[in-house]
Amino acid sequence: MSLTIRARLLWLTIGLVVPLLLVGFYNLWEAWQVSRQQLNESIERQAELAATAFEQWIEAQTQTLTTVSTLAESDHPLTLKDYLDSIVKTRPHWLDVQIVNPAGEVILSQTVREKPLPLVSIETLRKEIAEKRSLVVLTEQISEEKLRLLSLALPIANGNFVVARIDGSSASSIFKKLKLPEENIIAVFDPHSRLLYRNNVSPEQMSADVSGTPLLSALNDKEIANFEVESPYDKIKRVYGLARIAAINCVVVVGVPSEKLYAPAKQQYWRQLWVGAVIASLAILLVLFIARGIVEPLRRLTEAARFFGAGDLRARTKIKGGSPVRELGETFNQMAEQIAEREEKSKELDRLKSEFVSSVSHELRTPLTTIKTLTRVLEGDNIGADEREEYLQTIAVECDRQIEFVQNLLDLSRIESGAYRVSFVETDVRGVLADCVDANLPAADARGVKLHFETPKAVLPTVLTDPRTLRRIVSSLIENSMKYTPPNGRIEISAEPREAHIAIEVSDTGCGIAADDLPHVFERFFRGQPLDATIRDAKDALINETSGIGLGLYLVKNLAAEIEAEVLVDSPAQDSVRGAVFTVLVPLPPRG
């Protein structure tokens, strides 16, 4: 049983927890994907912002080149030379400005450097100017000086073109205005995928060849994209946002370390994952604990029930705690107690039935034996008239005794079956008591007991009752007192008004009733003991020889209930002159 319950609870928990965990993990994964997409889009927005800023910076530089181109078309070379001189003086990041003819020869130059910069990419510039006839942006690397140049070339109407070479590091000023996080990497690549600018990089790293990295091909034909790749410069894995500047075909890249970008979302994801796993584990452990709390008490309850069913009526279960199983255990214990009590009562009832059968047999056999013996004696001729008369009276008394005994049994059967009928009429209590005393005087005289009826001092009011039943009650009480009153004893019958009743008392000077027996004297088959050991020792012979089966007072109690009366009993202290007092309270009719 225990394995079945534990397994069912465990599978039930797994069946509930696992789907919930799967749904939770799926939702977390979806949330992670959404968060990642949002983060990637934020990087793209930063790249767009940086591309816009760089494009505006290039446009500002281009305006100066446009002015130079316009002056180069005029016939005032001195004016152009002066303008070029002012450019390099007022723009420290402009390293030189040159006018180049279609053959690639420099016809006019102005520089702030003592040694002019070599035209590393002049041929490339010339070809692209001839092809595009618009602004050309390239990068040049002066390796011996570890200097990266931004070369801008703009065609002139006469076939020449103007070239301005600018220190690439000067672009940092425009990106600082964006106020992007310091850990962000900003880089610019020219149309040939050569690095124009990158912050946070040493000159040695600037010369690294990165043309073969996947990052430069991530855009393809798109204007904006994002890509996660390891940087070729510092070997840090980053998420890059890429934005293309269509006017000059340059690409601006903003990179954020992957750990920095995704760390909060990943931490949240893994935290939820661990929390879910811990909750699932705790749920399973809790179920196992609960299962143990259910299975162990059930096992004890089953074991107790098995022993109880095998006949051990003392078997009980001990279940602690406040669970419903404990209530079940307590219910089982209560049931076991009740069954044990019923078993004891059944045994007692069987014993009482045996005693009842034995007593009834004795009650029937003794008078019949007496009658049979005296009848055989009367059949003879050797007895006198006086003896014959005595024997006939004895036979008559025994017959009356048998009739009364059988009548009592019949009345008791009618009462218990609800077939007993009473007829309420106005009754003179004094007359009923007098009749009862007269009827029991011969028996009292025969036992040597004085039976006295104390005449009421005042006239008793009539009561509405069944006189036959009341007579049976009082006569039964008198007979009971005679059984337990020794010779020379005294029985008194009296009556008096008491509140709304007529109180009829039958008191005797007999052996009395033990205190523990008083609550049980009206129970069926019960026969009490004398008041205490002293009296009991003196009266043992009387008690043992007293006939009866313990139905007399039980019948009195039921007969009193039939006429709506109440019977009380009291046994005074040991030094009292009375042994026991029975009181019948017969209700008076309501006034008015």
Side-chain angles (χ1 to χ4, degrees):
M1 176 187 290
S2 61
L3 292 177
T4 302
I5 293 177
R6 188 176 288 113
R8 288 180 179 179
L9 288 174
L10 185 59
W11 280 112
L12 176 62
T13 303
I14 293 175
L16 293 175
V17 172
V18 170
L20 290 177
L21 287 177
L22 292 177
V23 171
F25 294 157
Y26 176 78
N27 290 335
L28 285 174
W29 176 254
E30 287 291 321
W32 157 245
Q33 293 299 325
V34 172
S35 299
R36 183 170 180 172
Q37 180 65 27
Q38 292 174 347
L39 292 171
N40 291 340
E41 290 177 356
S42 69
I43 293 298
E44 292 178 356
R45 300 289 84 77
Q46 293 182 26
E48 283 185 316
L49 182 62
T52 301
F54 186 75
E55 184 178 13
Q56 292 175 352
W57 184 75
I58 290 294
E59 289 178 355
Q61 312 306 316
T62 304
Q63 290 177 0
T64 302
L65 287 182
T66 302
T67 302
V68 173
S69 176
T70 302
L71 292 175
E73 294 175 2
S74 66
D75 297 330
H76 303 284
L78 292 178
T79 303
L80 177 60
K81 184 175 177 60
D82 293 339
Y83 185 67
L84 294 179
D85 185 58
S86 66
I87 290 175
V88 296
K89 289 181 179 179
T90 57
R91 294 173 174 81
H93 57 282
W94 283 50
L95 301 182
D96 64 14
V97 182
Q98 299 170 335
I99 305 297
V100 184
N101 62 21
E105 299 173 349
V106 177
I107 59 177
L108 183 62
S109 176
Q110 188 65 38
T111 180
V112 295
R113 296 170 59 87
E114 296 178 358
K115 182 180 179 181
L117 292 170
L119 288 173
V120 178
S121 303
I122 191 64
E123 185 62 25
T124 302
L125 288 171
R126 187 179 65 80
K127 288 180 180 180
E128 292 199 13
I129 286 291
E131 180 182 348
K132 295 179 60 178
R133 303 305 299 173
S134 62
L135 178 66
V136 174
V137 180
L138 290 178
T139 183
E140 297 181 60
Q141 176 70 42
I142 309 301
S143 58
E144 64 274 10
E145 298 186 29
K146 298 180 180 179
L147 180 65
R148 183 165 293 276
L149 302 177
L150 175 62
S151 298
L152 301 179
L154 191 67
I156 304 174
N158 57 15
N160 297 335
F161 59 92
V162 57
V163 177
R165 291 189 290 180
I166 306 171
D167 186 356
S169 62
S170 62
S172 62
S173 61
I174 62 171
F175 294 124
K176 287 181 179 179
K177 295 179 180 179
L178 299 178
K179 297 182 179 180
L180 297 178
E182 293 183 1
E183 65 270 10
N184 287 16
I185 294 297
I186 302 176
V188 182
F189 294 90
D190 67 7
H192 298 285
S193 300
R194 290 177 298 197
L195 184 63
L196 287 175
Y197 168 82
R198 185 181 188 276
N199 65 337
N200 300 332
V201 68
S202 65
E204 293 81 2
Q205 293 174 327
M206 289 289 290
S207 61
D209 184 9
V210 295
S211 59
T213 61
L215 177 63
L216 300 180
S217 59
L219 268 177
N220 293 325
D221 296 330
K222 297 183 291 184
E223 295 296 325
I224 187 170
N226 63 80
F227 192 71
E228 185 177 14
V229 70
E230 184 181 276
S231 171
Y233 299 105
D234 51 17
K235 307 304 179 183
I236 296 176
K237 193 173 184 179
R238 291 184 175 88
V239 178
Y240 293 94
L242 301 92
R244 188 187 302 279
I245 304 175
I248 57 177
N249 198 25
C250 291
V251 177
V252 177
V253 178
V254 176
V256 180
S258 300
E259 286 299 322
K260 182 69 175 179
L261 182 65
Y262 297 145
K266 283 185 176 179
Q267 288 178 358
Q268 181 69 16
Y269 175 78
W270 285 109
R271 186 181 297 111
Q272 295 295 333
L273 188 66
W274 278 110
V275 169
V278 170
I279 290 176
S281 302
L282 291 178
I284 292 175
L285 292 177
L286 181 61
V287 166
L288 292 176
F289 178 76
I290 294 175
R292 183 178 181 276
I294 295 176
V295 170
E296 183 62 21
L298 286 179
R299 185 190 64 79
R300 295 179 183 176
L301 182 59
T302 302
E303 184 178 359
R306 186 181 296 113
F307 282 113
F308 192 84
D312 184 5
L313 299 183
R314 296 174 298 175
R316 300 292 185 273
T317 181
K318 296 181 180 179
I319 300 177
K320 299 180 180 179
S323 65
V325 181
R326 178 176 175 271
E327 297 179 4
L328 180 61
E330 291 178 350
T331 303
F332 170 80
N333 290 339
Q334 292 175 0
M335 179 196 69
E337 291 289 344
Q338 293 174 356
I339 292 176
E341 290 177 2
R342 291 176 183 176
E343 185 70 17
E344 291 297 324
K345 290 181 178 179
S346 177
K347 292 179 180 179
E348 180 66 17
L349 185 60
D350 290 340
R351 184 185 65 80
L352 292 176
K353 286 181 179 179
S354 298
E355 291 183 2
F356 173 74
V357 172
S358 176
S359 298
V360 168
S361 299
H362 176 74
E363 289 291 325
L364 292 175
R365 183 178 61 252
T366 301
L368 291 176
T369 301
T370 301
I371 293 173
K372 181 178 179 181
T373 301
L374 294 178
T375 302
R376 294 300 177 97
V377 173
L378 290 174
E379 288 178 352
D381 297 330
N382 56 348
I383 61 174
D386 294 337
E387 289 180 327
R388 183 181 297 274
E389 183 65 24
E390 180 182 355
Y391 292 160
L392 289 175
Q393 289 181 357
T394 301
I395 291 173
V397 169
E398 294 296 335
C399 288
D400 292 338
R401 177 181 172 188
Q402 288 293 90
I403 292 172
E404 183 181 3
F405 179 71
V406 173
Q407 184 64 43
N408 287 341
L409 292 179
L410 291 176
D411 288 343
L412 185 60
S413 175
R414 292 191 188 100
I415 290 173
E416 291 183 343
S417 64
Y420 188 84
R421 297 291 181 266
V422 293
S423 178
F424 289 90
V425 295
E426 290 187 356
T427 304
D428 179 16
V429 175
R430 182 182 181 286
V432 171
L433 298 182
D435 291 345
C436 293
V437 171
D438 292 340
N440 287 278
L441 271 177
D445 293 339
R447 293 175 178 266
V449 176
K450 185 176 181 179
L451 183 60
H452 174 69
F453 173 46
E454 184 176 346
T455 305
K457 298 179 181 180
V459 177
L460 297 177
T462 58
V463 296
L464 192 63
T465 187
D466 181 14
R468 178 180 63 88
T469 303
L470 181 59
R471 189 177 294 108
R472 291 283 307 281
I473 293 172
V474 176
S475 294
S476 296
L477 292 176
I478 294 173
E479 292 173 3
N480 183 77
S481 294
M482 287 193 295
K483 291 179 182 179
Y484 296 97
T485 301
N488 300 320
R490 183 181 179 86
I491 300 175
E492 293 187 359
I493 296 89
S494 63
E496 63 178 359
R498 186 178 300 176
E499 296 180 354
H501 300 84
I502 294 295
I504 302 173
E505 285 190 358
V506 178
S507 60
D508 60 62
T509 58
C511 60
I513 304 172
D516 293 340
D517 292 341
L518 281 175
H520 307 287
V521 295
F522 294 110
E523 294 179 4
R524 179 164 36 185
F525 305 134
F526 183 82
R527 298 184 68 190
Q529 294 296 323
L531 186 63
D532 60 18
T534 304
I535 299 179
R536 187 182 303 117
D537 293 339
K539 311 297 188 211
D540 271 346
L542 174 67
I543 298 303
N544 292 333
E545 293 176 0
T546 300
S547 61
I549 57 176
L551 290 177
L553 294 180
Y554 176 73
L555 178 62
V556 166
K557 188 76 172 179
N558 284 272
L559 289 173
E562 291 293 325
I563 61 172
E564 301 177 358
E566 184 179 3
V567 182
L568 306 176
V569 62
D570 188 20
S571 185
Q574 179 179 343
D575 56 354
S576 173
V577 296
R578 297 182 299 173
V581 179
F582 289 88
T583 304
V584 182
L585 299 177
V586 182
L588 291 170
R591 297 179 180 180

